[in-house]
Amino acid sequence: MTKVPTSHFDAKATLGDVGQWDLLKIILQFTTPVSRSPLASMDDIMHLPIVTDTAGKQLFLKIDTFVQSTDMPPQMSHYQVGKKAVTAVISDLGAKGIRPAGIGASLCLPRGLLANNAVAIVHGIADACQHYDCGYFGGDLNEGLEIVITPVAVGMADAKKVPGRGGARPGDVLCVSDRLGRTAAGLEILLKGNDCPPNVREILKNAVFAPETPLEQGVAFVEHNFATAAIDSSDGIAFSIGQLATESKRGVEVAVDALPIAPEVAEYAPETVHQVELALYGGEEYCYLWTIPKNMLAPAKILCKEHKWQLFEIGTITQGSEIVLKDKRGESSPLRTSGFTHFAGDAPSS
Amino acid sequence: MTKVPTSHFDAKATLGDVGQWDLLKIILQFTTPVSRSPLASMDDIMHLPIVTDTAGKQLFLKIDTFVQSTDMPPQMSHYQVGKKAVTAVISDLGAKGIRPAGIGASLCLPRGLLANNAVAIVHGIADACQHYDCGYFGGDLNEGLEIVITPVAVGMADAKKVPGRGGARPGDVLCVSDRLGRTAAGLEILLKGNDCPPNVREILKNAVFAPETPLEQGVAFVEHNFATAAIDSSDGIAFSIGQLATESKRGVEVAVDALPIAPEVAEYAPETVHQVELALYGGEEYCYLWTIPKNMLAPAKILCKEHKWQLFEIGTITQGSEIVLKDKRGESSPLRTSGFTHFAGDAPSS
């Protein structure tokens, strides 16, 4: 093993210059390929087929980091930080129908942090684990300049049933598990100090502070083979739509009228254009996006009614490769599929 | 799930005031107990018995974070950062005889980092995985104020064979897998700018920059049931000795003369007292400490000779509870078992 200097970019280029996506492409070249995995290379959960249990299920793993400077609005409590960090990793597994068996978390904390706030983070982690009925098995404790919480979630699943991002087929119906836009509206209120009607203010802020993810619905949908492809909406629903379309090598037609704008969002943002923007480009919502074959839609709806789960049809997978937004008059315009992206680079348009 | 404020410490106390150990005790109260686990509650790997494979092996997991401000001397390359971060998690599994099946890593990087340095980190991660014959299955990418690398390693093992920290019995021989002190000497040279004979300078610096861990030896020792207890030396060998003694509820007698001071350390630090200090209290060495029953020592030595592995006897487990250092004249003095500790708090004396 020799110490090889690795030059892939211009010598002076920073991550701010090259952006998240070009770096990710390089990183993928260094990772171990997994053959016959349902997950596309760009998928954000890991599949370790080398671990197979007595029921033939294989190991899936999700690791994600909550960073104070990037992810924690000043008004957010430390308890909420712990819960949200866990919710984020469970969301990625849940969208694929994988029930988390356990959570570990590496905590990196600054020396000046109030000790009770450190405990509050751990309390939040433990409560989130309890909420999703999953063990909290420990982790590690380190010191750093800012709060950095890295939970890892593991779950076992039948790899043949796990829907990736690439399975959508023409005619499949695009569905989401919740009304949209609350988190994006909440972030505008919190970070830009935007005005908001008092009656919806708490709900919108809470969407940022205390998100939940519909794990049981995700597990049930995969168990029943409802979904041909699945992803969570943590980078914004438009981005997720773009991922499903690109990886499935298909087009998508989304009906503007069908977008389930949350009523609180409509109250906060009276203009339709603003509402649609919030619904499509808000990240951290942790709801699920599925493509469901038409004949599976009826049983999916029955199951949702039975469990009081939400389900909204927002579009259709098409033969082509275009991703379009169709307005009320039937006119189509291209849907921008960029989502939240680190290092100020742009997401690849799909 | 209600949002409970969590007060365990004085309202104004920071982590710098309370220290790592008091916080860890509270964290443990929030984690899920694992019954019939070989690992003590304070152990730094996780045991998830809910995942059992076809051979009856269970899932073990290690997550640990490499933080720029705490763990990266200015002279260290980004490639070395990636490799060392992986070595650290593999070391914890290896000490318990668990072969890592796969690695994932969450990368948290500042926007201003040179893009090629980000790639070098990933290159280091991939090379370390290859070195230890373990897949690199991806992870996650985030933005933050400093470089924070969180690898997670998973491995399957027969839980009945995994040695914890609490299995040492009176008469067992305390052994280490390598000569000691190089890392501590290297850190003094790097961080304090201490003088060093030129002929050993690179070796001592390299112990900090490019440590390795004797994974194969660790796996073989557990496979052959050589060890009643095991731990890696990443927090310093004295700390590890304290952990084995405390968790085993036994005493330890360490012979000063038997400490295998690395020859480069002897050259750097001519005074015996300084050498012993470097050998006992240097962290990040990633060698293993085992307690081996007397009748197992001969076969262990034969195996080591066969594979050119190192093995040094440094002491004995005693009936009592005292942890002592025995000098050449046969006189005993208490061994201070504190190791590296975050937040400036002190490790509990064992």
Side-chain angles (χ1 to χ4, degrees):
Chain A
M1 199 164 30
T2 51
K3 193 166 51 174
V4 187
T6 316
S7 298
H8 282 79
F9 297 106
D10 180 80
K12 287 186 180 170
T14 65
L15 292 183
D17 297 326
V18 305
Q20 170 178 351
W21 302 100
D22 281 353
L23 178 60
L24 271 177
K25 278 181 213 152
I26 307 279
I27 292 178
L28 282 174
Q29 298 173 18
F30 284 97
T31 59
T32 308
V34 179
S35 62
R36 292 196 302 276
S37 176
L39 308 178
S41 55
M42 275 285 189
D43 218 302
D44 48 9
I45 67 173
M46 292 174 264
H47 177 198
L48 283 77
I50 31 181
V51 177
T52 304
D53 73 8
T54 45
K57 293 184 173 181
Q58 297 181 333
L59 184 66
F60 290 83
L61 195 148
K62 171 66 192 178
I63 186 168
D64 196 357
T65 298
F66 184 101
V67 183
Q68 181 174 10
S69 58
T70 316
D71 304 319
M72 185 180 178
Q75 306 92 331
M76 192 170 184
S77 78
H78 292 81
Y79 175 82
Q80 288 166 336
V81 165
K83 276 188 71 177
K84 189 165 181 173
V86 170
T87 301
V89 292
I90 289 183
S91 174
D92 281 300
L93 289 183
K96 310 285 192 220
I98 303 165
R99 191 182 292 285
I103 291 275
S106 182
L107 313 180
C108 181
L109 305 171
R111 188 176 296 205
L113 183 71
L114 286 179
N116 283 335
N117 285 342
V119 177
I121 291 172
V122 175
H123 196 156
I125 291 172
D127 276 3
C129 288
Q130 199 178 13
H131 180 73
Y132 296 106
D133 196 18
C134 129
Y136 171 29
F137 291 102
D140 207 71
L141 183 59
N142 303 278
E143 182 174 341
L145 297 181
E146 62 176 330
I147 297 168
V148 179
I149 312 293
T150 308
V152 55
V154 298
M156 302 298 289
D158 179 348
K160 288 192 290 293
K161 291 194 98 170
V162 172
R165 299 178 178 186
R169 292 167 304 191
D172 286 356
V173 182
L174 193 67
C175 296
V176 282
S177 68
D178 201 357
R179 294 187 180 277
L180 303 169
R182 292 188 194 97
T183 310
L187 278 170
E188 284 192 354
I189 295 163
L190 288 166
L191 300 181
K192 298 182 185 169
N194 284 11
D195 280 342
C196 175
N199 59 316
V200 297
R201 195 181 173 82
E202 285 309 304
I203 290 170
L204 297 177
K205 278 163 58 178
N206 221 40
V208 178
F209 293 152
E212 298 202 359
T213 191
L215 173 64
E216 295 303 326
Q217 188 178 4
V219 170
F221 269 41
V222 171
E223 187 58 41
H224 288 87
N225 295 309
F226 288 157
T228 52
I231 190 172
D232 87 336
S233 69
S234 56
D235 291 317
I237 209 87
F239 173 80
S240 303
I241 291 170
Q243 288 287 307
L244 292 190
T246 307
E247 299 285 343
S248 299
K249 298 185 176 62
R250 296 295 173 189
V252 176
E253 199 175 272
V254 176
V256 178
D257 272 11
L259 285 175
I261 311 282
E264 301 85 8
V265 173
E267 195 146 347
Y268 158 72
E271 286 182 28
T272 310
V273 178
H274 190 187
Q275 288 174 19
V276 170
E277 191 78 8
L278 293 170
L280 289 172
Y281 301 104
E284 303 183 12
E285 284 199 312
Y286 309 114
C287 70
Y288 303 153
L289 186 71
W290 298 282
T291 53
I292 301 180
K294 270 193 181 129
N295 63 335
M296 285 295 191
L297 208 53
K301 283 178 178 172
I302 289 169
L303 193 73
C304 287
K305 200 170 171 188
E306 205 173 291
H307 290 276
K308 294 184 181 154
W309 292 330
Q310 310 243 44
L311 191 67
F312 301 95
E313 301 168 48
I314 64 166
T316 317
I317 302 298
T318 61
Q319 284 285 359
S321 65
E322 290 184 349
I323 304 171
V324 297
L325 207 53
K326 206 167 184 178
D327 69 18
K328 175 177 321 203
R329 293 162 302 177
E331 282 178 24
S332 294
S333 57
L335 171 67
R336 179 170 52 88
T337 55
S338 58
F340 175 78
T341 173
H342 291 296
F343 316 127
D346 285 331
S349 64
S350 305
Chain B
M1 201 163 29
T2 49
K3 193 165 50 174
V4 186
T6 315
S7 298
H8 283 79
F9 296 106
D10 180 81
K12 287 186 180 170
T14 66
L15 293 183
D17 297 326
V18 305
Q20 170 179 349
W21 302 100
D22 281 353
L23 178 59
L24 271 176
K25 278 182 213 152
I26 307 279
I27 292 178
L28 282 174
Q29 298 174 18
F30 284 98
T31 59
T32 308
V34 179
S35 63
R36 291 196 303 276
S37 177
L39 308 178
S41 55
M42 274 287 189
D43 218 302
D44 45 12
I45 68 173
M46 292 175 263
H47 177 199
L48 282 77
I50 30 182
V51 177
T52 304
D53 73 9
T54 45
K57 292 184 173 182
Q58 297 182 331
L59 184 66
F60 290 83
L61 195 150
K62 172 65 191 180
I63 187 168
D64 196 357
T65 298
F66 184 100
V67 183
Q68 181 175 9
S69 58
T70 316
D71 304 319
M72 184 179 179
Q75 306 93 331
M76 192 171 184
S77 78
H78 291 81
Y79 174 82
Q80 289 165 337
V81 165
K83 276 188 72 178
K84 189 165 180 172
V86 170
T87 301
V89 292
I90 289 182
S91 174
D92 281 301
L93 289 183
K96 310 285 191 220
I98 303 166
R99 192 181 290 286
I103 291 275
S106 183
L107 313 179
C108 181
L109 305 171
R111 188 176 295 205
L113 183 70
L114 287 179
N116 283 335
N117 285 342
V119 177
I121 291 171
V122 174
H123 196 156
I125 291 172
D127 275 4
C129 288
Q130 198 178 12
H131 180 73
Y132 295 106
D133 197 18
C134 129
Y136 172 28
F137 290 103
D140 206 72
L141 183 59
N142 302 278
E143 183 175 340
L145 296 181
E146 62 175 330
I147 297 169
V148 179
I149 313 293
T150 308
V152 56
V154 298
M156 303 298 288
D158 179 347
K160 287 192 290 293
K161 291 194 101 172
V162 172
R165 298 179 178 185
R169 292 168 303 192
D172 286 356
V173 182
L174 193 67
C175 297
V176 283
S177 67
D178 201 357
R179 294 188 181 276
L180 303 169
R182 292 188 195 96
T183 311
L187 278 171
E188 284 192 354
I189 295 163
L190 288 166
L191 300 180
K192 298 182 186 170
N194 284 10
D195 281 341
C196 176
N199 59 315
V200 297
R201 197 181 172 83
E202 284 310 304
I203 291 171
L204 296 177
K205 277 163 59 178
N206 222 40
V208 177
F209 292 153
E212 298 201 358
T213 191
L215 173 63
E216 294 304 326
Q217 188 177 5
V219 170
F221 269 40
V222 171
E223 186 59 39
H224 288 87
N225 295 309
F226 289 157
T228 51
I231 188 171
D232 86 337
S233 69
S234 57
D235 291 318
I237 210 86
F239 173 80
S240 303
I241 292 170
Q243 288 287 306
L244 292 189
T246 309
E247 299 285 344
S248 299
K249 297 184 177 64
R250 296 296 173 189
V252 176
E253 198 175 274
V254 176
V256 179
D257 272 10
L259 285 175
I261 311 284
E264 302 83 8
V265 173
E267 195 145 350
Y268 158 72
E271 285 183 29
T272 310
V273 178
H274 190 187
Q275 289 174 17
V276 170
E277 191 78 8
L278 292 170
L280 289 173
Y281 301 104
E284 303 183 11
E285 285 199 311
Y286 309 115
C287 70
Y288 304 153
L289 186 72
W290 297 284
T291 54
I292 301 181
K294 270 193 180 129
N295 64 334
M296 286 294 192
L297 208 52
K301 283 178 179 173
I302 290 168
L303 194 72
C304 288
K305 201 171 173 188
E306 204 175 291
H307 290 275
K308 294 183 181 156
W309 292 330
Q310 310 243 44
L311 190 68
F312 301 94
E313 300 168 48
I314 63 166
T316 317
I317 303 297
T318 60
Q319 283 285 359
S321 63
E322 291 184 347
I323 304 172
V324 297
L325 207 55
K326 207 167 182 176
D327 68 19
K328 188 179 306 211
R329 293 163 302 176
E331 281 179 25
S332 294
S333 57
L335 171 68
R336 179 170 50 89
T337 56
S338 57
F340 174 78
T341 174
H342 291 297
F343 316 126
D346 286 331
S349 65
S350 305

